Amino acid sequence: MSDAVQEKIKNYRTAPFDARFPNTNQTRNCFQNYLDQRRCNKVLSAKDQDTAPCDWYRRVYKSLCPISWVQKWDDQIEAGSFPGKI
């Protein structure tokens, strides 16, 4: 991973502005970053590569999403009833 990316992750404080989600309501941003993190882990794990780049998405959704939502989504994934495409 490049030094610039590692430096950004190290200095991460909260979710940066994302032009895909310009509105105040960040629910969709939360869900999309959760999906992106899961997809990133799945793809990199399948290629036997380091999943450290996926930490960015995890940090973003952890700062945007309520813990109860994340726990519910994790439970749904385990049960095979998660509505998103991972």
Side-chain angles (χ1 to χ4, degrees):
M1 191 168 19
S2 73
D3 292 335
V5 172
Q6 287 178 348
E7 187 67 25
K8 284 183 180 181
I9 290 174
K10 180 182 172 188
N11 294 329
Y12 179 83
R13 295 290 179 253
T14 188
F17 175 74
D18 189 339
R20 298 175 299 169
F21 310 101
N23 300 322
T24 304
N25 186 344
Q26 293 294 300
T27 302
R28 179 76 176 135
N29 190 358
C30 156
F31 186 69
Q32 188 61 50
N33 278 286
Y34 181 82
L35 287 178
D36 290 344
Q37 190 267 339
R38 288 294 189 154
R39 290 174 183 155
C40 180
N41 275 337
K42 181 179 178 181
V43 169
L44 293 181
S45 294
K47 295 180 180 180
D48 292 328
Q49 295 181 357
D50 182 25
T51 59
C54 304
D55 287 346
W56 173 259
Y57 298 114
R58 184 182 56 78
R59 289 179 177 204
V60 171
Y61 84 71
K62 290 247 183 207
S63 71
L64 292 173
C65 301
I67 295 170
S68 61
W69 291 6
V70 174
Q71 290 172 342
K72 179 181 174 186
W73 295 333
D74 289 340
D75 292 343
Q76 288 175 336
I77 289 172
E78 289 176 17
S81 61
F82 184 69
K85 182 179 177 185
I86 297 177

